[in-house]
Amino acid sequence: MSEMFCFQCEQTAGGKGCTGAAGVCGKKADTSNFQDELTGALIGLAKAAEKGRPTAQTHKVVIEGLFTTITNVSFDNASIRRQIANIEKEKAQLGSAFAANYDMQKLWNDNEDIRSLKSLILFGIRGMAAYAYHALVLGYNNDEVNDFFYKALRAIGEDLNADALLPIVLETGKVNLACMAMLDQANTETYGTPVPTKVPLTIEKGPFIVISGHDLYDLYQLLEQTKDKGINIYTHGEMLPAHAYPKLKAYPHLKGNFGTAWQNQQKEFDNLPGAVLFTTNCLMPTKPSYHDRVFTTEVVAYPEMVHIDDDKDFTPVINKALELGGYKEDRRMTGINGGDTVTTGFARGTVLSVADKVIDAVKAGAIKHFFLVGGCDGAKVGRNYYTEFVQKTPKDTVILTLACGKFRFNDLDIGEIGGLPRIMDMGQCNDAYSAIQVASALAGAFECDINELPLSLVLSWYEQKAVCILLTLLSLGIKNIYLGPTLPAFISPNVLNILVENFNISPVSTPDADLKKILG
């Protein structure tokens, strides 16, 4: 029986690493090992690209390969093997068909500090690749981002010491900022600037499709193909912010949001009378009660599940929704805290448009502090910390949030300040770019450093996109970040000491203790 080693997500077994026959995410050992082989092949391709001339197709293969290895993306060995074959084809095109691939066991068995630094780079570029992919399908790319993927992959495969690796760790964060800026441009130029939008959680009677993940292009294609078919469309998880984009919200059959965060899907999809489309990560192993109505697209894959190819013909999804028929009557659903609506759309365009109002509120003492409480959600015990933290924040503070961690508290009504809601959902995980732009603008207005603002970052993490965002914050010199619910298993004690000494990263403790420490 094959065994695996994986410690890239927050829920890894025992806080140390998933070994044996399967991981906590449901990924089997042979699939994990194929993903290691895929990563080793990408490192080989990066070495080949040093002497050859990588093309747009080479870039695409690298981005897709890295994206595939993010937690909860692909559980399908056949699709991973096809990607490995595509990598070998690209190596041949570069004239290096026999360039050696990297054995990932060398990394997993390396000195713990070297392994830690290389893991930060690897997991960071996996997250960055997801953002680059979403931009790429909209026709946007960036030479700095593409070039760095090769540089980072080569660094993982080389015998570098800690002094050489640490600058590349921070460069990963710096380049990811450029990648998030590219995706922000791609989304807003294609779909418009997000506007604050109240989204219902009730599911109306009749046929419906739930679309999950992050890819707005897939949602747009689905809306186009269903606009006259009597099928309602509901977002799920990180697709929620799509409701705020003018071009997408213009479709009247984009009705609302289904359910809560990704880790609840096995319960919320049980015997679901609708079809589900997964466009990116967050797919969990399905249960028999709904396996036949889940579809995948892009690099998401699961054995024996219908996959929608690049032609984006969603006919199988549409037919399944019509066959199932939906609920017979409207079904009232709620968030974790009982609310029946959530609000999104407070991206940088909206917040900066009222910056003068926010600045005046700070100067007048109406707003005493800003908290960015966001990141990934997950199932591990301890994530109720974030709900309690938001509930206990003083009434003269504002909570900025993003990514799926917000589902812990985004249905709470905690009031307003000067007509602005105290909870402002800035969007998906990649919309950390918006938060950074808002923080920079406030720092400019108050003529101070970002670290001198009355702003605290309280972040939750689960997978690799959160890793690259953390690296981006560190590359900007942002300090005093609270991180939880646990610290990454792949960060060694010595590397953790570097982060603590240079950036004062703290693990979350209790809401009361952390609020007291922050607010004094």
Side-chain angles (χ1 to χ4, degrees), residues 151-170:
K151 176 180 178 178
L153 285 165
R154 285 194 292 267
I156 294 163
E158 293 170 356
D159 291 326
L160 301 178
N161 61 26
D163 289 339
L165 289 169
L166 188 56
I168 302 174
V169 170
L170 294 178

Side-chain angles (χ1 to χ4, degrees), residues 61-80:
V61 166
V62 169
I63 290 169
E64 287 181 343
L66 288 168
F67 191 3
T68 295
T69 57
I70 288 179
T71 307
N72 293 88
V73 169
S74 182
F75 297 80
D76 185 58
N77 294 346
S79 68
I80 298 171

Side-chain angles (χ1 to χ4, degrees), residues 184-387:
D184 178 88
Q185 179 187 7
N187 284 337
T188 54
E189 290 185 353
T190 304
Y191 303 112
T193 299
V195 295
T197 304
K198 183 173 285 188
V199 182
L201 303 182
T202 295
I203 309 302
E204 297 181 15
K205 65 180 180 180
F208 68 92
I209 297 170
V210 175
I211 181 168
S212 188
H214 304 72
D215 203 291
L216 301 181
Y217 177 74
D218 286 323
L219 173 58
Y220 172 71
Q221 293 293 324
L222 184 64
L223 288 168
E224 273 292 299
Q225 293 178 39
T226 54
K227 61 184 178 182
D228 297 314
K229 291 186 165 57
I231 298 174
N232 290 329
I233 307 298
Y234 295 89
T235 56
H236 174 261
E238 286 253 52
M239 198 65 82
L240 167 64
H243 290 273
Y245 287 90
K247 187 171 181 178
L248 299 175
K249 67 181 293 154
Y251 289 88
H253 62 301
L254 178 60
K255 290 290 187 177
N257 191 71
F258 181 96
T260 54
W262 68 272
Q263 76 275 4
N264 299 318
Q265 66 190 255
Q266 291 179 328
K267 176 178 67 176
E268 294 177 344
F269 292 168
D270 191 34
N271 291 303
L272 188 73
V276 182
L277 175 65
F278 276 90
T279 67
T280 60
N281 56 306
C282 299
L283 173 65
M284 295 176 71
T286 56
K287 291 186 174 182
S289 68
Y290 66 89
H291 179 87
D292 67 326
R293 57 209 64 181
V294 178
F295 300 80
T296 60
T297 192
E298 307 293 2
V299 296
V300 189
Y302 196 88
E304 301 178 358
M305 191 171 284
V306 176
H307 187 79
I308 306 302
D309 293 321
D310 291 344
D311 62 5
K312 296 301 177 186
D313 181 358
F314 292 118
T315 300
V317 189
I318 293 168
N319 289 341
K320 178 57 73 171
L322 292 172
E323 173 195 330
L324 292 168
Y327 294 113
K328 302 301 181 186
E329 301 293 338
D330 291 358
R331 190 180 185 94
R332 180 181 181 273
M333 301 181 73
T334 67
I336 289 177
N337 303 288
D340 56 11
T341 63
V342 293
T343 302
T344 190
F346 287 91
R348 65 189 176 95
T350 292
V351 178
L352 293 178
S353 71
V354 294
D356 55 345
K357 191 174 183 180
V358 173
I359 292 166
D360 288 344
V362 173
K363 290 179 177 179
I367 297 177
K368 294 286 180 60
H369 206 87
F370 296 89
F371 295 97
L372 175 59
V373 185
C376 308
D377 205 356
K380 184 180 284 188
V381 174
R383 289 183 181 268
N384 58 335
Y385 165 94
Y386 298 94
T387 309

Side-chain angles (χ1 to χ4, degrees), residues 7 16 45 83 97 106 110 144 178 211 284 286 344 372:
F7 62 173
K16 296 181 179 179
L45 177 59
Q83 289 199 341
K106 183 178 179 182
D110 209 337
E144 179 187 8
I211 181 168
M284 295 176 71
T286 56
T344 190
L372 175 59

Side-chain angles (χ1 to χ4, degrees), residues 372-376 386 400-406 409 458-461:
L372 175 59
V373 185
C376 308
Y386 298 94
L400 306 175
T401 189
L402 46 81
C404 63
K406 62 176 169 271
F409 52 80
V458 183
L459 307 180
S460 57
W461 81 284

Side-chain angles (χ1 to χ4, degrees), residues 36-58:
D36 277 354
E37 183 180 341
L38 171 60
T39 303
L42 286 171
I43 293 171
L45 177 59
K47 292 177 179 177
E50 198 168 19
K51 296 181 179 178
R53 285 177 172 260
T55 64
Q57 178 60 23
T58 317

